[in-house]
């Protein structure tokens, strides 16, 4: 999997100004109020104007005039569509999704009269959020009808959708009425690089701090909380024999963890130059995989992005972890968000693993994983630093 620098370069530049001017308003009008057939008819009219400037092509002006008169007849048709259809929209929602996957924005409408064709559309969003073809349905009178809009985000982030609208086409199918129902925020999680194993954690002298956490019989507390399926590395003396006999597969007794136990994961997304900015997304995906690996073994105690601690909310800790990664601003050329170096108020109780784009010297960090460019792997810092090649981060599964 090769890195497409041009794709990253153009995606890092905003597609629209902060305040919409005349050209942007015309683009919004073109995108929201014209159907595909309307786009074709309008484009042909503009083409006829240019062709008509050539001497001898007088027929192009006739076609242009006929096309223009046809659009004039659509105005009263659209006006009747707006005045006839009255409805209430409620319960707008959209679920978080992983980059590159499909999600749905949903809403419910209750029209006063039967609507033969209606759909839900999401407009004026970031250019990386692609809206698929609208799904038109029939809405009976005085009944709730579920509308869905399919979206495919191409990169992670927290995207605001300024206009979620109910779309009703006019009778001739050239124009459509879009009534704003509200706005939404779409959270796009990064792709998780699955970690198969992390032998690096237990290597060398610094590995002695992580080793007890990977041995449940040494890090557990005394209070029994339940059972779960057996995982590699669990102590055999903790097997739950009754569950094993009943279900035919091994289960392990689970105990409440000791206070303060668990490792500290620090994600440093600071980029010093353009090359490091281009590798930030690979670092975020690798961090998602490392965090998921820790949570599966229940050894993640605290999580930091720069100097900001991210609270992990119990059973929803994975969701809050991925949400924090989604909200990391995309690296941009020029000035971006300035990240403060990790500087805890007190020395952490658990061992610290740092992920970054360059190696840093910090006495509180036990081990660190650094994402580097192709061919720049090195082991000059011994067992405390692991340099991961950019190509490995792009794989679905890696071993560290």
């Amino acid at each position: 999997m090769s890195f497409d620098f041009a794709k990253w370069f153009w995606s890092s530049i905003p597609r629209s100004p902060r305040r919409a001017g005349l050209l942007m308003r015309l683009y919004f009008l073109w995108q929201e109020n014209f159907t595909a057939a309307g786009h074709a008819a309008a484009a042909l009219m503009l083409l006829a104007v240019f062709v008509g400037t050539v001497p001898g092509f007088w027929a192009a002006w006739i076609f242009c005039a006929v096309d223009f008169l046809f659009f004039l007849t659509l105005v009263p048709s659209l006006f009747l569509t707006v005045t006839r259809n009255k409805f209430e929209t409620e319960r707008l929602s959209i679920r978080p999704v992983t980059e590159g996957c499909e999600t749905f924005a949903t809403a419910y409408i209750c029209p006063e009269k039967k609507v033969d064709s209606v759909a839900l559309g999401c407009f004026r969003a970031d250019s990386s959020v692609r809206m698929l073809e609208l799904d038109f349905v029939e809405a009976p009178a005085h009944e709730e009808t579920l509308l869905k809009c399919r979206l495919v985000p191409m990169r992670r982030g927290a995207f605001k959708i300024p206009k979620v609208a109910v779309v009703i086409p006019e009778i001739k199918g050239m124009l459509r009425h879009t009534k704003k129902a509200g706005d939404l925020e779409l959270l796009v999680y990064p792709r998780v690089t699955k970690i198969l194993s992390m032998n690096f954690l237990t290597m060398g002298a610094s590995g002695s701090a992580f080793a007890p956490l990977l041995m449940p019989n040494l890090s557990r507390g005394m209070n029994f909380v339940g059972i779960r399926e057996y995982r590699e590395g669990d102590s055999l003396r903790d097997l739950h024999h009754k569950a094993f006999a009943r279900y035919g597969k091994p289960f392990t007794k689970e105990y409440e963890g000791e206070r303060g136990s668990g490792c500290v994961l620090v994600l440093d997304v600071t980029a010093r130059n353009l090359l490091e900015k281009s590798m930030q997304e690979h670092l975020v995906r690798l961090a998602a995989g490392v965090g998921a690996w820790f949570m599966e073994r229940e050894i993640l105690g605290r999580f930091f992005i720069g100097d900001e601690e991210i609270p992990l909310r119990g059973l929803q800790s994975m969701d809050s972890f991925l949400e924090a990664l989604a909200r990391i601003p995309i690296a941009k050329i020029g000035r971006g968000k300035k990240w403060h170096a990790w500087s805890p108020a007190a020395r952490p109780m658990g061992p610290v693993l740092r992920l970054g784009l360059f190696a840093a010297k910090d006495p509180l960090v036990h081990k660190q994983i650094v994402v580097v460019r192709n061919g720049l792997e090195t082991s000059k810092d011994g067992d405390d630093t692991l340099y991961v090649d950019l190509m490995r981060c792009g794989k679905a599964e890696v071993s560290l």
Side-chain angles (χ1 to χ4, degrees):
M1 177 180 173
S2 60
F3 174 71
D4 190 349
F5 178 82
K7 181 178 179 181
W8 170 84
F9 177 85
W10 290 112
S11 65
S12 65
I13 300 176
R15 294 293 183 183
S16 60
R18 294 182 180 180
R19 297 184 62 182
L22 176 61
L23 291 179
M24 285 304 303
R25 293 181 185 277
L26 290 176
Y27 171 73
F28 292 152
L29 178 67
W30 172 265
Q31 182 190 41
E32 299 166 15
N33 297 101
F34 284 77
T35 65
H39 288 160
L44 286 175
M45 183 172 65
L46 293 176
L47 178 63
V49 171
F50 286 106
V51 173
T53 58
V54 180
F57 281 89
W58 54 268
W61 287 106
I62 298 177
F63 174 81
C64 181
V66 172
D67 199 4
F68 179 73
L69 292 175
F70 173 72
F71 269 100
L72 288 181
T73 62
L74 298 179
V75 176
S77 177
L78 182 62
F79 178 75
L80 292 175
T81 302
V82 175
T83 56
R84 274 193 62 192
N85 298 291
K86 296 181 179 180
F87 47 83
E88 295 181 357
T89 309
E90 55 186 17
R91 285 182 284 170
L92 269 72
S93 64
I94 190 169
R95 61 179 182 178
V97 67
T98 304
E99 57 180 327
C101 298
E102 183 177 308
T103 188
F104 294 90
T106 59
Y108 288 85
I109 66 167
C110 185
E112 295 181 0
K113 297 180 180 180
K114 178 184 176 182
V115 182
D116 295 327
S117 182
V118 60
L120 188 70
C122 296
F123 304 102
R124 308 186 188 184
D126 187 88
S127 60
S128 63
V129 180
R130 185 162 56 94
M131 182 176 67
L132 302 182
E133 186 177 355
L134 298 181
D135 296 327
F136 288 93
V137 297
E138 180 181 311
H142 304 292
E143 293 184 14
E144 280 194 340
T145 302
L146 174 63
L147 303 180
K148 293 183 178 181
C149 179
R150 296 182 295 161
L151 301 171
V152 179
M154 303 311 296
R155 62 177 175 87
R156 65 153 189 92
F159 302 105
K160 184 176 178 61
I161 303 177
K163 186 176 182 180
V164 181
V166 177
V167 180
I168 301 178
E170 53 84 28
I171 192 170
K172 294 183 179 179
M174 295 291 172
L175 303 177
R176 59 192 183 190
H177 170 57
T178 56
K179 180 180 180 181
K180 183 175 180 179
D183 55 15
L184 291 172
E185 183 186 48
L186 172 60
L187 283 177
V188 184
Y189 297 153
R191 290 199 302 269
V192 179
T193 301
K194 185 176 181 180
I195 307 298
L196 299 178
S197 62
M198 290 190 67
N199 297 328
F200 166 69
L201 280 185
T202 56
M203 293 173 57
S206 58
S208 60
F210 292 92
L213 296 177
L214 300 176
M215 302 172 63
N217 59 319
L218 294 180
S219 62
R220 71 180 187 187
M222 298 300 295
N223 298 326
F224 175 77
V225 294
I227 62 173
R228 57 170 171 79
E229 291 189 14
Y230 175 83
R231 290 196 295 257
E232 183 180 356
D234 290 342
S235 174
L236 295 179
R237 72 184 180 92
D238 288 334
L239 284 177
H240 196 280
H241 301 287
K242 293 183 179 179
F244 192 3
R246 181 174 182 178
Y247 297 102
K249 56 182 180 180
F251 285 82
T252 301
K253 299 176 185 177
E254 192 171 19
Y255 294 86
E256 184 179 0
E258 295 287 354
R259 179 176 176 85
S261 63
C263 66
V264 179
L265 181 62
V266 178
L267 175 60
D268 186 358
V269 292
T270 303
R272 302 169 299 180
N273 49 52
L274 182 60
L275 176 61
E276 291 179 355
K277 288 183 179 180
S278 67
M279 298 188 294
Q280 186 192 74
E281 293 306 303
H282 296 274
L283 173 66
V284 172
R285 292 167 188 164
L286 182 63
V290 173
W293 192 86
F294 282 159
M295 289 185 185
E296 288 176 2
R297 289 152 182 79
E298 300 177 358
I299 61 173
L300 181 60
R302 304 171 70 184
F303 175 51
F304 290 84
I305 299 179
D307 199 31
E308 178 183 355
E309 183 170 7
I310 307 301
L312 302 176
R313 302 186 294 267
L315 297 176
Q316 298 179 342
S317 56
M318 190 60 190
D319 292 333
S320 57
F321 178 80
L322 291 175
E323 179 180 344
L325 295 180
R327 293 188 182 278
I328 298 176
I330 298 294
K332 297 181 179 180
I333 298 176
R335 293 185 178 181
K337 179 176 179 179
K338 186 176 181 181
W339 296 93
H340 298 284
W342 181 62
S343 56
R347 186 179 184 89
M349 299 179 64
V352 179
L353 173 65
R354 174 186 175 271
L355 282 76
L357 298 170
F358 56 89
K361 294 183 179 180
D362 191 331
L364 297 180
V365 175
H366 295 79
K367 286 183 177 290
Q368 55 184 327
I369 299 176
V370 181
V371 177
V372 295
R373 184 183 163 187
N374 299 345
L376 294 181
E377 290 194 40
T378 178
S379 58
K380 63 180 180 179
D381 291 333
D383 298 327
D384 298 339
T385 304
L386 175 66
Y387 291 87
V388 181
D389 191 275
L390 188 68
M391 299 296 291
R392 292 178 62 191
C393 295
K395 296 181 179 179
E397 299 178 348
V398 296
S399 297
L400 301 178

